[in-house]
Amino acid sequence: MAKRQVQTTKIDGKRVRIVTTTGANGTRVQVTEAEPKEWELQAAQVRALRGMPEYGKQFLLAGDQNSAKRGPRAQMEASAAGMTPGEADMRIYIAGGQLRMIENKVGRGRLSPAQVDRHAALARMGFTVDVLRAVTTEDAAHQAVALVRGWLAENDNQSGQGQPRCSSTACA
């Protein structure tokens, strides 16, 4: 029976995945480019979305990193301040008072149990979390831009003009 070991490391500044298989026919080593980390997908999306001409006029965004590794004290502080396990990676605020959310997964990565629970709770309140899956930062950015453009077009069709509704002088 073959024994397989997988390791991700950096070589010449690039993340690579090394797969070593040892079996009856000897040892085989395969080195491939590693998939990006989830935060890298999100960072590419943020750059692309902020670069859209509609940004700041028709939509804004806010990102979270609820799954970031923290020590016990930092975790306690984050929880006390309202950080919620399972919360979506990005919130998109659309003119007219709409909230849309994006969750990122690398490849076939699964939602955590906290994400499944949180997304279901949000759905019960009428909010949808769109899960985008990508294996490159370019694809993640492209998907996010396409999704937001779709939301903006939908918003324009619903409101007729796509103009924000204001209840104060903040929009004047």
Side-chain angles (χ1 to χ4, degrees):
M1 183 171 177
K3 181 180 176 186
R4 186 173 185 245
Q5 291 181 315
V6 180
Q7 177 184 10
T8 302
T9 189
K10 280 189 176 185
I11 297 178
D12 292 331
K14 288 193 169 207
R15 289 181 67 243
V16 295
R17 183 172 182 247
I18 303 170
V19 179
T20 306
T21 309
T22 305
N25 297 330
T27 300
R28 181 173 166 239
V29 177
Q30 183 180 16
V31 179
T32 58
E33 188 174 330
E35 292 180 333
K37 293 183 177 184
E38 196 173 289
W39 76 264
E40 294 170 314
L41 299 181
Q42 184 173 335
Q45 291 169 333
V46 168
R47 284 190 303 275
L49 292 171
R50 285 183 177 159
M52 292 173 62
E54 300 90 344
Y55 182 75
K57 298 174 185 107
Q58 293 180 323
F59 78 97
L60 295 169
L61 65 82
D64 276 321
Q65 286 191 306
N66 285 322
S67 67
K69 304 291 184 220
R70 294 176 179 81
R73 180 183 174 99
Q75 186 157 354
M76 180 275 303
E77 291 170 355
S79 180
M83 190 160 287
T84 305
E87 187 67 17
D89 294 324
M90 250 193 307
R91 292 177 305 283
I92 307 295
Y93 301 95
I94 298 176
Q98 292 187 46
L99 173 63
R100 302 293 183 105
M101 291 170 275
I102 297 173
E103 176 64 42
N104 289 298
K105 288 296 167 196
V106 176
R108 292 183 289 184
R110 294 185 191 178
L111 294 174
S112 71
Q115 289 171 325
V116 170
D117 292 346
R118 181 67 173 180
H119 296 185
L122 289 165
R124 287 191 298 275
M125 296 183 75
F127 297 101
T128 301
V129 179
D130 285 87
V131 178
L132 298 184
R133 297 181 180 283
V135 293
T136 68
T137 55
E138 295 81 11
D139 185 37
H142 175 76
Q143 286 186 55
V145 167
L147 186 61
V148 170
R149 285 203 191 283
W151 290 339
L152 295 176
E154 191 179 291
N155 191 45
D156 284 348
N157 291 337
Q158 289 174 359
S159 67
Q161 306 246 338
Q163 296 300 314
R165 290 175 284 167
C166 301
S167 58
S168 70
T169 59
C171 295

